[in-house]
Amino acid sequence: MNTQALAVHDNGPEGVYLRGSGAAREWWRVSLSERAHMFRIEHGHGEAGSGAVDIDTVVDLDNLEAKLLKWRREGFVSEAGREDEARAVAAGSRFAMELERAVELQREAREANRSVQPEAVRIGSVAMPPAPERTPSALVPRINDAYLFTARADDIALDIVENRRVMLIGHTGSGKTSFIEQVAARTGHGVLRANMNGQTTIGDFVGFWTVKGGETVWVDGVLPVAMREGYWLIIDELDFAEPSILAVLTAVLEPNGRLLLKERGNEIVEPHPSFRLFATANAAGAMSAYRHLYQGANLLNEAFLDRWRVYLFDYLSKEEEAEVLLRTLPALMPSIAQTLAAIAADCRAAFAREDLASTFSTRRLIDWAELMLRTGDVERAAGPAIYAKVSAEDAALIRSIIRHHAIFDAGDGVSG
Ligand SMILES: Nc1ncnc2c1ncn2[C@@H]1O[C@H](COP(=O)(O)OP(=O)(O)O)[C@@H](O)[C@H]1O
Ligand SMILES: [Mg+2]
């Protein structure tokens, strides 16, 4: 039995075999004969079943298989095979069309990327558009190469791209202000800051009338200046702000929110597309439990907080802080950096427990390490960097924490 010939048919040899098209169409039809194990074969021209049949005979299976082989050599294809072929051609061209479109989309994406990529600045894994070039460089913070963008950077960077209002809450010295400044430094944005703890009045913030050379003139506060010029405004320690300042802010907090200067006859200040608004707070929201550590901090209500994306900033982990120390002061040994980071962590824990009245910022830690490298003396370095800044009781506790670590973790190398 010739299996090769039968392999053409999935469901046995019955069916129509066609060659040519139109007037040149020629066909063979195979059907089961009334006689057992025999096949009827018919031949004709034109459409099968409509034109005249010029051959009509009965063959056995061996004979039929020989005919199938011969027909195949002559270019006859079974109807089912033709349909398969037509389907394959159609599917093939659809696939090709889709692939062509995909290639085009990919090319467009690459080109769009190329036009953003060269100047785009990477913060974590987010590509951020740079500032317009006209920003006065004096307002653009200096880049701190040792600054470490941790995992939290991505979400905040995306919020900045999307023009969300971002509030960073956390203990003092946890890197809230410097985070925003370092993103601004890298993207080239000018930054204005307003600290709400004490000094800033509504006049400083919004603006005021004053007399200059016999004339009454309006002086914009930081908020309208930043909005008009497209600077980033950091409102530091917002939980210390006067209610009048919070009231003014509320209107501006909407995306593209405008500022109404009532004092200037209801002038409307439109936000520049580059304008961004940030706030930092010590004791707001999730940090409310620490309000007793920040005397005078106000509770920001939830409706106000809902206008912000609020991020909780913890101090850097010991590992991260050791890395920042090593990046800042490459001469420092890793083991020393780890010991210093552990001391800072212990001091912060004591502050959170209220055993210490002062906390321990990364800035203080770096300063102490720098002096340590100059003097080779832990205690002498701690004087101007730490002890002289805190109460006598705090100094005594910090000294005992340092002694503990310097003696038990790092050996004689750094002990004072
Ligand atoms: N991720 C970091 N990488 C490097 N230095 C940091 C980092 N976070 C904080 N610092 C340093 O810690 C110090 C205090 O940060 P700062 O932004 O002033 O804190 P906050 O605004 O929360 O009080 C700064 O000198 C800053 O350089
Ligand atoms: Mg700050």
Side-chain angles (χ1 to χ4, degrees), residues 75-405:
F76 285 90
V77 177
S78 77
E79 217 166 35
R82 274 205 179 193
E83 274 164 24
D84 281 348
E85 205 171 85
R87 256 198 303 279
V89 168
S93 64
R94 189 178 341 111
F95 182 88
M97 265 165 53
E98 285 169 351
L99 181 59
E100 208 174 311
R101 179 78 192 120
V103 168
E104 198 180 321
L105 284 174
Q106 173 70 10
R107 187 179 46 73
E108 280 170 14
R110 237 193 341 264
E111 268 168 20
N113 245 358
R114 201 176 298 131
S115 57
V116 176
Q117 225 60 28
E119 332 98 64
V121 181
R122 230 152 241 293
I123 300 294
S125 64
V126 179
M128 297 192 67
E133 274 169 42
R134 45 162 209 85
T135 311
S137 58
L139 291 179
V140 181
R142 297 230 325 257
I143 291 180
N144 170 7
D145 286 318
Y147 194 87
L148 182 70
F149 287 104
T150 56
R152 64 194 172 200
D154 279 20
D155 283 332
I156 305 172
L158 274 176
D159 284 343
I160 298 171
V161 172
E162 292 172 9
N163 198 359
R164 308 276 177 173
R165 307 316 188 195
V166 172
M167 183 186 297
L168 308 179
I169 60 174
H171 286 304
T172 176
S174 56
K176 303 180 293 296
T177 308
S178 52
F179 173 84
I180 301 159
E181 284 180 338
Q182 285 308 305
V183 177
R186 281 146 218 257
T187 51
H189 284 91
V191 173
L192 293 178
R193 285 172 63 175
N195 194 309
M196 296 296 138
N197 196 352
Q199 317 92 322
T200 309
T201 64
I202 183 83
D204 299 332
F205 196 63
V206 169
F208 54 90
W209 290 103
T210 188
V211 178
K212 238 187 210 160
E215 249 184 279
T216 309
V217 292
W218 172 260
V219 179
D220 267 341
V222 279
L223 178 61
V225 168
M227 288 179 75
R228 291 190 218 269
E229 301 299 322
Y231 301 142
W232 290 9
L233 176 60
I234 306 176
I235 306 173
D236 267 320
E237 306 190 63
L238 182 62
D239 40 357
F240 287 86
E242 298 173 17
S244 59
I245 288 180
L246 295 181
V248 165
L249 262 184
T250 301
V252 178
L253 286 175
E254 303 301 324
N256 299 309
R258 302 177 303 174
L259 171 65
L260 185 71
L261 292 175
K262 292 200 197 83
E263 300 84 345
R264 277 204 91 185
N266 287 339
E267 185 198 346
I268 289 169
V269 180
E270 298 275 354
H272 184 286
S274 297
F275 168 68
R276 294 290 183 277
L277 187 58
F278 302 89
T280 73
N282 297 125
M287 289 292 290
S288 304
Y290 298 100
R291 276 180 70 217
H292 57 283
L293 298 177
Y294 300 95
Q295 291 293 316
N298 301 305
L299 203 61
L300 298 173
N301 70 52
E302 282 182 39
F304 183 79
L305 287 175
D306 276 344
R307 293 161 194 274
W308 303 80
R309 288 265 164 89
V310 181
Y311 291 90
L312 183 59
F313 260 51
D314 284 323
Y315 287 113
L316 293 173
S317 70
K318 277 187 250 184
E319 294 72 27
E320 289 166 341
E321 196 153 45
E323 193 187 328
V324 168
L325 275 172
L326 287 170
R327 283 202 207 190
T328 312
L329 304 167
L332 214 61
M333 311 283 293
S335 61
I336 297 178
Q338 279 152 23
T339 301
L340 298 186
I343 291 170
D346 278 3
C347 288
R348 288 160 191 165
F351 170 68
R353 282 196 312 269
E354 283 186 87
D355 289 345
L356 281 177
S358 52
T359 186
F360 209 108
S361 72
T362 305
R363 187 190 294 113
R364 180 175 289 184
L365 187 65
I366 291 170
D367 193 39
W368 180 33
E370 225 175 310
L371 275 174
M372 215 179 290
L373 282 179
R374 188 209 279 168
T375 60
D377 186 327
V378 173
E379 276 290 300
R380 217 177 112 200
I386 308 167
Y387 299 151
K389 298 172 183 170
V390 301
S391 70
E393 303 85 72
D394 274 13
L397 180 53
I398 295 170
R399 183 177 286 115
S400 74
I401 291 173
I402 293 171
R403 283 255 166 84
H404 174 84
H405 279 276

Side-chain angles (χ1 to χ4, degrees), residues 57-70:
T57 182
V58 171
V59 296
D60 65 15
L61 184 61
D62 280 345
N63 201 335
L64 174 65
E65 279 174 4
K67 299 239 181 260
L68 287 171
L69 257 184
K70 177 169 170 280

